[in-house]
mmCIF file of all heavy atoms in Angstrom:
data_model
loop_
_atom_site.group_PDB
_atom_site.id
_atom_site.type_symbol
_atom_site.label_atom_id
_atom_site.label_comp_id
_atom_site.label_asym_id
_atom_site.label_seq_id
_atom_site.Cartn_x
_atom_site.Cartn_y
_atom_site.Cartn_z
ATOM 1 N N GLN A 1 20.744 -30.414 -34.189
ATOM 2 C CA GLN A 1 21.417 -31.711 -34.147
ATOM 3 C C GLN A 1 21.850 -32.141 -35.605
ATOM 4 O O GLN A 1 21.105 -31.933 -36.562
ATOM 5 C CB GLN A 1 20.483 -32.752 -33.584
ATOM 6 C CG GLN A 1 20.110 -32.502 -32.128
ATOM 7 C CD GLN A 1 21.314 -32.441 -31.212
ATOM 8 O OE1 GLN A 1 21.974 -33.426 -30.993
ATOM 9 N NE2 GLN A 1 21.574 -31.256 -30.687
ATOM 10 N N ARG A 2 23.000 -32.661 -35.695
ATOM 11 C CA ARG A 2 23.590 -32.966 -36.986
ATOM 12 C C ARG A 2 22.826 -34.065 -37.740
ATOM 13 O O ARG A 2 22.694 -34.013 -38.963
ATOM 14 C CB ARG A 2 25.039 -33.424 -36.794
ATOM 15 C CG ARG A 2 25.837 -33.577 -38.080
ATOM 16 C CD ARG A 2 27.309 -33.770 -37.877
ATOM 17 N NE ARG A 2 28.019 -32.544 -37.543
ATOM 18 C CZ ARG A 2 28.495 -32.204 -36.352
ATOM 19 N NH1 ARG A 2 28.337 -33.075 -35.327
ATOM 20 N NH2 ARG A 2 29.143 -31.085 -36.174
ATOM 21 N N ASN A 3 22.279 -35.026 -37.082
ATOM 22 C CA ASN A 3 21.528 -36.081 -37.733
ATOM 23 C C ASN A 3 20.137 -35.729 -38.117
ATOM 24 O O ASN A 3 19.481 -36.455 -38.805
ATOM 25 C CB ASN A 3 21.530 -37.352 -36.830
ATOM 26 C CG ASN A 3 20.842 -37.075 -35.508
ATOM 27 O OD1 ASN A 3 20.591 -35.942 -35.186
ATOM 28 N ND2 ASN A 3 20.528 -38.160 -34.791
ATOM 29 N N ILE A 4 19.681 -34.524 -37.652
ATOM 30 C CA ILE A 4 18.283 -34.073 -37.995
ATOM 31 C C ILE A 4 18.373 -32.959 -39.020
ATOM 32 O O ILE A 4 17.626 -32.986 -40.040
ATOM 33 C CB ILE A 4 17.549 -33.657 -36.737
ATOM 34 C CG1 ILE A 4 17.387 -34.877 -35.811
ATOM 35 C CG2 ILE A 4 16.211 -33.040 -37.076
ATOM 36 C CD1 ILE A 4 16.722 -34.470 -34.482
ATOM 37 N N SER A 5 19.208 -31.924 -38.764
ATOM 38 C CA SER A 5 19.284 -30.812 -39.639
ATOM 39 C C SER A 5 20.743 -30.322 -39.757
ATOM 40 O O SER A 5 21.159 -29.373 -39.082
ATOM 41 C CB SER A 5 18.397 -29.680 -39.007
ATOM 42 O OG SER A 5 18.409 -28.524 -39.871
ATOM 43 N N PRO A 6 21.499 -30.937 -40.663
ATOM 44 C CA PRO A 6 22.883 -30.515 -40.828
ATOM 45 C C PRO A 6 23.000 -29.122 -41.330
ATOM 46 O O PRO A 6 24.012 -28.451 -41.081
ATOM 47 C CB PRO A 6 23.431 -31.524 -41.841
ATOM 48 C CG PRO A 6 22.204 -32.173 -42.506
ATOM 49 C CD PRO A 6 21.075 -32.067 -41.490
ATOM 50 N N GLU A 7 21.996 -28.589 -42.108
ATOM 51 C CA GLU A 7 22.077 -27.224 -42.566
ATOM 52 C C GLU A 7 22.046 -26.204 -41.432
ATOM 53 O O GLU A 7 22.812 -25.254 -41.465
ATOM 54 C CB GLU A 7 20.862 -26.935 -43.543
ATOM 55 C CG GLU A 7 20.852 -27.774 -44.774
ATOM 56 C CD GLU A 7 20.215 -29.122 -44.516
ATOM 57 O OE1 GLU A 7 19.697 -29.363 -43.399
ATOM 58 O OE2 GLU A 7 20.212 -29.973 -45.473
ATOM 59 N N LYS A 8 21.227 -26.499 -40.451
ATOM 60 C CA LYS A 8 21.198 -25.562 -39.298
ATOM 61 C C LYS A 8 22.433 -25.679 -38.449
ATOM 62 O O LYS A 8 22.909 -24.639 -37.891
ATOM 63 C CB LYS A 8 19.949 -25.854 -38.436
ATOM 64 C CG LYS A 8 18.631 -25.586 -39.100
ATOM 65 C CD LYS A 8 17.474 -25.785 -38.137
ATOM 66 C CE LYS A 8 16.193 -25.426 -38.790
ATOM 67 N NZ LYS A 8 14.975 -25.644 -37.896
ATOM 68 N N VAL A 9 23.055 -26.792 -38.457
ATOM 69 C CA VAL A 9 24.378 -26.930 -37.749
ATOM 70 C C VAL A 9 25.433 -26.076 -38.445
ATOM 71 O O VAL A 9 26.232 -25.425 -37.853
ATOM 72 C CB VAL A 9 24.808 -28.431 -37.708
ATOM 73 C CG1 VAL A 9 26.220 -28.536 -37.120
ATOM 74 C CG2 VAL A 9 23.830 -29.233 -36.863
ATOM 75 N N ARG A 10 25.449 -26.100 -39.796
ATOM 76 C CA ARG A 10 26.376 -25.284 -40.563
ATOM 77 C C ARG A 10 26.074 -23.786 -40.306
ATOM 78 O O ARG A 10 27.026 -22.983 -40.178
ATOM 79 C CB ARG A 10 26.283 -25.646 -42.032
ATOM 80 C CG ARG A 10 26.912 -26.950 -42.395
ATOM 81 C CD ARG A 10 27.092 -27.092 -43.904
ATOM 82 N NE ARG A 10 25.834 -27.242 -44.566
ATOM 83 C CZ ARG A 10 25.237 -28.379 -44.862
ATOM 84 N NH1 ARG A 10 25.825 -29.560 -44.510
ATOM 85 N NH2 ARG A 10 24.085 -28.387 -45.476
ATOM 86 N N GLU A 11 24.854 -23.420 -40.274
ATOM 87 C CA GLU A 11 24.494 -22.044 -39.952
ATOM 88 C C GLU A 11 24.952 -21.652 -38.555
ATOM 89 O O GLU A 11 25.444 -20.512 -38.342
ATOM 90 C CB GLU A 11 23.001 -21.847 -40.063
ATOM 91 C CG GLU A 11 22.426 -22.019 -41.489
ATOM 92 C CD GLU A 11 20.921 -21.815 -41.535
ATOM 93 O OE1 GLU A 11 20.344 -21.549 -40.505
ATOM 94 O OE2 GLU A 11 20.384 -21.948 -42.639
ATOM 95 N N TYR A 12 24.868 -22.538 -37.641
ATOM 96 C CA TYR A 12 25.311 -22.287 -36.269
ATOM 97 C C TYR A 12 26.822 -22.037 -36.179
ATOM 98 O O TYR A 12 27.279 -21.208 -35.514
ATOM 99 C CB TYR A 12 24.867 -23.408 -35.286
ATOM 100 C CG TYR A 12 24.974 -23.081 -33.809
ATOM 101 C CD1 TYR A 12 23.871 -22.528 -33.186
ATOM 102 C CD2 TYR A 12 26.131 -23.210 -33.154
ATOM 103 C CE1 TYR A 12 23.952 -22.194 -31.802
ATOM 104 C CE2 TYR A 12 26.247 -22.885 -31.747
ATOM 105 C CZ TYR A 12 25.115 -22.349 -31.152
ATOM 106 O OH TYR A 12 25.231 -21.989 -29.846
ATOM 107 N N PHE A 13 27.520 -22.831 -36.970
ATOM 108 C CA PHE A 13 29.011 -22.698 -37.049
ATOM 109 C C PHE A 13 29.319 -21.361 -37.637
ATOM 110 O O PHE A 13 30.322 -20.720 -37.222
ATOM 111 C CB PHE A 13 29.630 -23.812 -37.866
ATOM 112 C CG PHE A 13 30.042 -24.973 -37.010
ATOM 113 C CD1 PHE A 13 29.099 -25.990 -36.690
ATOM 114 C CD2 PHE A 13 31.365 -25.077 -36.581
ATOM 115 C CE1 PHE A 13 29.534 -27.093 -35.945
ATOM 116 C CE2 PHE A 13 31.716 -26.185 -35.824
ATOM 117 C CZ PHE A 13 30.819 -27.183 -35.506
ATOM 118 N N ALA A 14 28.562 -20.904 -38.666
ATOM 119 C CA ALA A 14 28.831 -19.628 -39.304
ATOM 120 C C ALA A 14 28.469 -18.436 -38.402
ATOM 121 O O ALA A 14 29.183 -17.449 -38.393
ATOM 122 C CB ALA A 14 28.022 -19.486 -40.591
ATOM 123 N N ASP A 15 27.400 -18.576 -37.589
ATOM 124 C CA ASP A 15 27.000 -17.571 -36.695
ATOM 125 C C ASP A 15 27.810 -17.448 -35.412
ATOM 126 O O ASP A 15 27.951 -16.402 -34.789
ATOM 127 C CB ASP A 15 25.544 -17.663 -36.358
ATOM 128 C CG ASP A 15 24.614 -17.544 -37.588
ATOM 129 O OD1 ASP A 15 25.083 -16.938 -38.567
ATOM 130 O OD2 ASP A 15 23.511 -18.048 -37.520
ATOM 131 N N HIS A 16 28.383 -18.610 -34.976
ATOM 132 C CA HIS A 16 29.131 -18.649 -33.722
ATOM 133 C C HIS A 16 30.457 -19.395 -34.014
ATOM 134 O O HIS A 16 30.630 -20.542 -33.586
ATOM 135 C CB HIS A 16 28.336 -19.398 -32.617
ATOM 136 C CG HIS A 16 26.990 -18.849 -32.401
ATOM 137 N ND1 HIS A 16 25.905 -19.214 -33.139
ATOM 138 C CD2 HIS A 16 26.518 -17.893 -31.484
ATOM 139 C CE1 HIS A 16 24.819 -18.525 -32.732
ATOM 140 N NE2 HIS A 16 25.156 -17.736 -31.707
ATOM 141 N N PRO A 17 31.376 -18.766 -34.660
ATOM 142 C CA PRO A 17 32.633 -19.422 -35.017
ATOM 143 C C PRO A 17 33.535 -19.839 -33.817
ATOM 144 O O PRO A 17 34.375 -20.730 -33.954
ATOM 145 C CB PRO A 17 33.360 -18.411 -35.949
ATOM 146 C CG PRO A 17 32.745 -17.092 -35.523
ATOM 147 C CD PRO A 17 31.343 -17.364 -35.132
ATOM 148 N N ASP A 18 33.338 -19.160 -32.744
ATOM 149 C CA ASP A 18 34.186 -19.440 -31.578
ATOM 150 C C ASP A 18 33.572 -20.469 -30.659
ATOM 151 O O ASP A 18 34.227 -21.394 -30.097
ATOM 152 C CB ASP A 18 34.481 -18.169 -30.742
ATOM 153 C CG ASP A 18 35.300 -17.146 -31.555
ATOM 154 O OD1 ASP A 18 36.134 -17.594 -32.361
ATOM 155 O OD2 ASP A 18 35.047 -15.955 -31.315
ATOM 156 N N LEU A 19 32.225 -20.393 -30.498
ATOM 157 C CA LEU A 19 31.519 -21.297 -29.563
ATOM 158 C C LEU A 19 31.255 -22.614 -30.177
ATOM 159 O O LEU A 19 31.313 -23.699 -29.490
ATOM 160 C CB LEU A 19 30.242 -20.653 -29.069
ATOM 161 C CG LEU A 19 29.363 -21.444 -28.123
ATOM 162 C CD1 LEU A 19 30.065 -21.739 -26.856
ATOM 163 C CD2 LEU A 19 28.047 -20.706 -27.834
ATOM 164 N N ALA A 20 30.940 -22.659 -31.456
ATOM 165 C CA ALA A 20 30.472 -23.936 -32.111
ATOM 166 C C ALA A 20 31.546 -25.021 -32.005
ATOM 167 O O ALA A 20 31.153 -26.184 -31.708
ATOM 168 C CB ALA A 20 30.058 -23.693 -33.559
ATOM 169 N N PRO A 21 32.806 -24.776 -32.314
ATOM 170 C CA PRO A 21 33.789 -25.866 -32.238
ATOM 171 C C PRO A 21 33.919 -26.483 -30.791
ATOM 172 O O PRO A 21 34.109 -27.683 -30.692
ATOM 173 C CB PRO A 21 35.093 -25.227 -32.634
ATOM 174 C CG PRO A 21 34.705 -24.053 -33.510
ATOM 175 C CD PRO A 21 33.428 -23.604 -32.867
ATOM 176 N N ARG A 22 33.781 -25.641 -29.807
ATOM 177 C CA ARG A 22 33.884 -26.143 -28.418
ATOM 178 C C ARG A 22 32.667 -27.036 -28.092
ATOM 179 O O ARG A 22 32.760 -28.037 -27.459
ATOM 180 C CB ARG A 22 33.987 -24.964 -27.440
ATOM 181 C CG ARG A 22 35.236 -24.139 -27.652
ATOM 182 C CD ARG A 22 35.287 -22.964 -26.664
ATOM 183 N NE ARG A 22 36.479 -22.192 -26.837
ATOM 184 C CZ ARG A 22 36.782 -21.086 -26.121
ATOM 185 N NH1 ARG A 22 35.935 -20.732 -25.113
ATOM 186 N NH2 ARG A 22 37.914 -20.424 -26.327
ATOM 187 N N LEU A 23 31.431 -26.580 -28.544
ATOM 188 C CA LEU A 23 30.272 -27.418 -28.282
ATOM 189 C C LEU A 23 30.383 -28.728 -29.071
ATOM 190 O O LEU A 23 29.918 -29.761 -28.618
ATOM 191 C CB LEU A 23 29.059 -26.605 -28.709
ATOM 192 C CG LEU A 23 28.665 -25.421 -27.873
ATOM 193 C CD1 LEU A 23 27.466 -24.673 -28.493
ATOM 194 C CD2 LEU A 23 28.288 -25.844 -26.467
ATOM 195 N N ASP A 24 30.964 -28.688 -30.247
ATOM 196 C CA ASP A 24 31.130 -29.876 -31.071
ATOM 197 C C ASP A 24 32.035 -30.933 -30.404
ATOM 198 O O ASP A 24 31.881 -32.088 -30.555
ATOM 199 C CB ASP A 24 31.650 -29.539 -32.441
ATOM 200 C CG ASP A 24 31.407 -30.638 -33.458
ATOM 201 O OD1 ASP A 24 30.493 -31.544 -33.215
ATOM 202 O OD2 ASP A 24 32.130 -30.712 -34.477
ATOM 203 N N GLN A 25 33.056 -30.412 -29.670
ATOM 204 C CA GLN A 25 33.979 -31.272 -29.008
ATOM 205 C C GLN A 25 33.339 -32.097 -27.912
ATOM 206 O O GLN A 25 33.729 -33.229 -27.615
ATOM 207 C CB GLN A 25 35.184 -30.504 -28.401
ATOM 208 C CG GLN A 25 36.100 -29.903 -29.510
ATOM 209 C CD GLN A 25 37.202 -29.079 -28.913
ATOM 210 O OE1 GLN A 25 37.227 -28.810 -27.685
ATOM 211 N NE2 GLN A 25 38.160 -28.654 -29.718
ATOM 212 N N ILE A 26 32.330 -31.547 -27.240
ATOM 213 C CA ILE A 26 31.629 -32.258 -26.228
ATOM 214 C C ILE A 26 30.351 -32.903 -26.657
ATOM 215 O O ILE A 26 29.524 -33.346 -25.874
ATOM 216 C CB ILE A 26 31.316 -31.341 -24.979
ATOM 217 C CG1 ILE A 26 30.477 -30.224 -25.433
ATOM 218 C CG2 ILE A 26 32.610 -30.787 -24.444
ATOM 219 C CD1 ILE A 26 30.056 -29.281 -24.291
ATOM 220 N N GLY A 27 30.123 -32.952 -27.970
ATOM 221 C CA GLY A 27 28.945 -33.615 -28.526
ATOM 222 C C GLY A 27 27.716 -32.795 -28.492
ATOM 223 O O GLY A 27 26.563 -33.383 -28.418
ATOM 224 N N GLY A 28 27.814 -31.466 -28.509
ATOM 225 C CA GLY A 28 26.621 -30.622 -28.393
ATOM 226 C C GLY A 28 25.706 -30.765 -29.555
ATOM 227 O O GLY A 28 24.510 -30.466 -29.495
ATOM 228 N N PHE A 29 26.249 -31.114 -30.765
ATOM 229 C CA PHE A 29 25.370 -31.276 -31.971
ATOM 230 C C PHE A 29 25.072 -32.739 -32.260
ATOM 231 O O PHE A 29 24.440 -33.027 -33.272
ATOM 232 C CB PHE A 29 26.152 -30.686 -33.115
ATOM 233 C CG PHE A 29 26.498 -29.266 -32.969
ATOM 234 C CD1 PHE A 29 27.814 -28.858 -32.731
ATOM 235 C CD2 PHE A 29 25.521 -28.229 -32.949
ATOM 236 C CE1 PHE A 29 28.138 -27.520 -32.525
ATOM 237 C CE2 PHE A 29 25.857 -26.930 -32.704
ATOM 238 C CZ PHE A 29 27.187 -26.544 -32.522
ATOM 239 N N ASP A 30 25.453 -33.649 -31.382
ATOM 240 C CA ASP A 30 25.048 -35.051 -31.465
ATOM 241 C C ASP A 30 24.778 -35.505 -30.022
ATOM 242 O O ASP A 30 25.394 -36.503 -29.518
ATOM 243 C CB ASP A 30 26.197 -35.876 -32.100
ATOM 244 C CG ASP A 30 26.473 -35.461 -33.502
ATOM 245 O OD1 ASP A 30 25.666 -35.894 -34.369
ATOM 246 O OD2 ASP A 30 27.483 -34.787 -33.756
ATOM 247 N N VAL A 31 23.887 -34.827 -29.391
ATOM 248 C CA VAL A 31 23.633 -35.089 -27.919
ATOM 249 C C VAL A 31 23.226 -36.488 -27.648
ATOM 250 O O VAL A 31 23.798 -37.210 -26.803
ATOM 251 C CB VAL A 31 22.580 -34.083 -27.390
ATOM 252 C CG1 VAL A 31 22.174 -34.451 -25.960
ATOM 253 C CG2 VAL A 31 23.138 -32.635 -27.383
ATOM 254 N N PHE A 32 22.235 -36.995 -28.353
ATOM 255 C CA PHE A 32 21.632 -38.267 -28.053
ATOM 256 C C PHE A 32 22.481 -39.463 -28.453
ATOM 257 O O PHE A 32 22.174 -40.595 -28.104
ATOM 258 C CB PHE A 32 20.245 -38.340 -28.647
ATOM 259 C CG PHE A 32 19.351 -37.260 -28.238
ATOM 260 C CD1 PHE A 32 18.988 -36.230 -29.082
ATOM 261 C CD2 PHE A 32 18.855 -37.223 -26.903
ATOM 262 C CE1 PHE A 32 18.170 -35.199 -28.678
ATOM 263 C CE2 PHE A 32 18.019 -36.193 -26.534
ATOM 264 C CZ PHE A 32 17.685 -35.164 -27.389
ATOM 265 N N SER A 33 23.584 -39.251 -29.184
ATOM 266 C CA SER A 33 24.463 -40.319 -29.469
ATOM 267 C C SER A 33 25.821 -40.076 -28.860
ATOM 268 O O SER A 33 26.774 -40.797 -29.170
ATOM 269 C CB SER A 33 24.666 -40.492 -31.001
ATOM 270 O OG SER A 33 25.109 -39.244 -31.572
ATOM 271 N N SER A 34 25.935 -39.081 -27.948
ATOM 272 C CA SER A 34 27.186 -38.777 -27.304
ATOM 273 C C SER A 34 27.505 -39.792 -26.221
ATOM 274 O O SER A 34 26.595 -40.503 -25.754
ATOM 275 C CB SER A 34 27.150 -37.426 -26.687
ATOM 276 O OG SER A 34 26.157 -37.291 -25.698
ATOM 277 N N VAL A 35 28.797 -39.823 -25.834
ATOM 278 C CA VAL A 35 29.251 -40.787 -24.818
ATOM 279 C C VAL A 35 28.574 -40.468 -23.428
ATOM 280 O O VAL A 35 28.141 -41.346 -22.789
ATOM 281 C CB VAL A 35 30.765 -40.778 -24.716
ATOM 282 C CG1 VAL A 35 31.246 -41.691 -23.605
ATOM 283 C CG2 VAL A 35 31.379 -41.236 -26.058
ATOM 284 N N TRP A 36 28.570 -39.190 -23.072
ATOM 285 C CA TRP A 36 28.053 -38.820 -21.762
ATOM 286 C C TRP A 36 26.519 -39.074 -21.631
ATOM 287 O O TRP A 36 26.052 -39.518 -20.615
ATOM 288 C CB TRP A 36 28.440 -37.408 -21.421
ATOM 289 C CG TRP A 36 28.074 -36.401 -22.479
ATOM 290 C CD1 TRP A 36 28.838 -35.961 -23.503
ATOM 291 C CD2 TRP A 36 26.856 -35.614 -22.562
ATOM 292 N NE1 TRP A 36 28.220 -35.028 -24.268
ATOM 293 C CE2 TRP A 36 26.981 -34.797 -23.734
ATOM 294 C CE3 TRP A 36 25.693 -35.585 -21.861
ATOM 295 C CZ2 TRP A 36 25.967 -33.932 -24.164
ATOM 296 C CZ3 TRP A 36 24.689 -34.762 -22.280
ATOM 297 C CH2 TRP A 36 24.803 -33.954 -23.394
ATOM 298 N N PHE A 37 25.802 -38.845 -22.721
ATOM 299 C CA PHE A 37 24.357 -39.065 -22.669
ATOM 300 C C PHE A 37 24.074 -40.613 -22.562
ATOM 301 O O PHE A 37 23.217 -41.070 -21.828
ATOM 302 C CB PHE A 37 23.654 -38.508 -23.864
ATOM 303 C CG PHE A 37 22.159 -38.558 -23.805
ATOM 304 C CD1 PHE A 37 21.464 -37.568 -23.169
ATOM 305 C CD2 PHE A 37 21.431 -39.593 -24.319
ATOM 306 C CE1 PHE A 37 20.049 -37.627 -23.085
ATOM 307 C CE2 PHE A 37 20.088 -39.690 -24.252
ATOM 308 C CZ PHE A 37 19.367 -38.659 -23.623
ATOM 309 N N SER A 38 24.861 -41.381 -23.375
ATOM 310 C CA SER A 38 24.692 -42.862 -23.316
ATOM 311 C C SER A 38 25.100 -43.379 -21.935
ATOM 312 O O SER A 38 24.510 -44.348 -21.512
ATOM 313 C CB SER A 38 25.577 -43.452 -24.431
ATOM 314 O OG SER A 38 25.175 -42.984 -25.729
ATOM 315 N N ALA A 39 26.140 -42.798 -21.319
ATOM 316 C CA ALA A 39 26.498 -43.251 -19.977
ATOM 317 C C ALA A 39 25.429 -43.102 -19.016
ATOM 318 O O ALA A 39 25.097 -43.936 -18.156
ATOM 319 C CB ALA A 39 27.820 -42.523 -19.571
ATOM 320 N N ILE A 40 24.771 -41.865 -18.981
ATOM 321 C CA ILE A 40 23.685 -41.598 -18.024
ATOM 322 C C ILE A 40 22.511 -42.529 -18.334
ATOM 323 O O ILE A 40 21.900 -43.094 -17.421
ATOM 324 C CB ILE A 40 23.228 -40.142 -18.159
ATOM 325 C CG1 ILE A 40 24.365 -39.179 -17.783
ATOM 326 C CG2 ILE A 40 21.977 -39.881 -17.302
ATOM 327 C CD1 ILE A 40 24.034 -37.714 -18.007
ATOM 328 N N TYR A 41 22.227 -42.779 -19.603
ATOM 329 C CA TYR A 41 21.130 -43.648 -19.953
ATOM 330 C C TYR A 41 21.397 -45.095 -19.506
ATOM 331 O O TYR A 41 20.498 -45.710 -18.923
ATOM 332 C CB TYR A 41 20.989 -43.604 -21.476
ATOM 333 C CG TYR A 41 19.746 -44.221 -22.066
ATOM 334 C CD1 TYR A 41 18.649 -43.423 -22.342
ATOM 335 C CD2 TYR A 41 19.682 -45.528 -22.383
ATOM 336 C CE1 TYR A 41 17.510 -43.940 -22.803
ATOM 337 C CE2 TYR A 41 18.516 -46.114 -22.911
ATOM 338 C CZ TYR A 41 17.429 -45.316 -23.160
ATOM 339 O OH TYR A 41 16.265 -45.878 -23.628
ATOM 340 N N LEU A 42 22.626 -45.590 -19.662
ATOM 341 C CA LEU A 42 22.958 -46.917 -19.281
ATOM 342 C C LEU A 42 22.970 -47.100 -17.765
ATOM 343 O O LEU A 42 22.459 -48.041 -17.238
ATOM 344 C CB LEU A 42 24.315 -47.299 -19.890
ATOM 345 C CG LEU A 42 24.764 -48.716 -19.668
ATOM 346 C CD1 LEU A 42 23.810 -49.745 -20.250
ATOM 347 C CD2 LEU A 42 26.180 -48.989 -20.204
ATOM 348 N N LEU A 43 23.493 -46.071 -17.066
ATOM 349 C CA LEU A 43 23.488 -46.142 -15.574
ATOM 350 C C LEU A 43 22.060 -46.124 -15.018
ATOM 351 O O LEU A 43 21.786 -46.828 -14.059
ATOM 352 C CB LEU A 43 24.338 -44.985 -15.039
ATOM 353 C CG LEU A 43 25.857 -45.053 -15.244
ATOM 354 C CD1 LEU A 43 26.547 -43.783 -14.715
ATOM 355 C CD2 LEU A 43 26.376 -46.278 -14.400
ATOM 356 N N LEU A 44 21.269 -45.332 -15.622
ATOM 357 C CA LEU A 44 19.842 -45.307 -15.185
ATOM 358 C C LEU A 44 19.192 -46.677 -15.381
ATOM 359 O O LEU A 44 18.435 -47.158 -14.543
ATOM 360 C CB LEU A 44 19.095 -44.219 -15.896
ATOM 361 C CG LEU A 44 17.541 -44.075 -15.590
ATOM 362 C CD1 LEU A 44 17.320 -43.846 -14.123
ATOM 363 C CD2 LEU A 44 16.929 -43.013 -16.491
ATOM 364 N N PHE A 45 19.466 -47.268 -16.523
ATOM 365 C CA PHE A 45 18.929 -48.550 -16.861
ATOM 366 C C PHE A 45 19.346 -49.593 -15.788
ATOM 367 O O PHE A 45 18.536 -50.394 -15.275
ATOM 368 C CB PHE A 45 19.357 -48.956 -18.227
ATOM 369 C CG PHE A 45 18.710 -50.211 -18.762
ATOM 370 C CD1 PHE A 45 17.412 -50.127 -19.285
ATOM 371 C CD2 PHE A 45 19.349 -51.422 -18.743
ATOM 372 C CE1 PHE A 45 16.797 -51.295 -19.790
ATOM 373 C CE2 PHE A 45 18.776 -52.534 -19.203
ATOM 374 C CZ PHE A 45 17.510 -52.490 -19.742
ATOM 375 N N ILE A 46 20.679 -49.598 -15.476
ATOM 376 C CA ILE A 46 21.195 -50.573 -14.537
ATOM 377 C C ILE A 46 20.649 -50.270 -13.155
ATOM 378 O O ILE A 46 20.308 -51.230 -12.360
ATOM 379 C CB ILE A 46 22.729 -50.530 -14.546
ATOM 380 C CG1 ILE A 46 23.280 -50.993 -15.902
ATOM 381 C CG2 ILE A 46 23.312 -51.410 -13.448
ATOM 382 C CD1 ILE A 46 24.745 -50.822 -16.057
#
């Protein structure tokens, strides 16, 4: 996760140059602050 270990995120981008950008587009490296995780959290709360 980018907010916990940005160094490991950079290493992941270097090791997986094709997969990492796609995961980044859907918030794979910022899961807990992503739109889809927040939507599930809010719907569960309601």
Side-chain angles (χ1 to χ4, degrees):
Q1 298 300 293
R2 187 172 282 111
N3 59 348
I4 297 177
S5 181
E7 297 84 5
K8 293 184 179 180
V9 174
R10 287 193 291 267
E11 292 177 4
Y12 195 92
F13 269 84
D15 297 338
H16 306 85
D18 297 328
L19 179 61
R22 298 181 181 178
L23 292 175
D24 196 23
Q25 290 178 352
I26 60 175
F29 303 107
D30 297 284
V31 170
F32 301 107
S33 59
S34 62
V35 175
W36 49 272
F37 188 87
S38 301
I40 298 174
Y41 193 93
L42 184 60
L43 287 175
L44 176 60
F45 188 80
I46 295 174

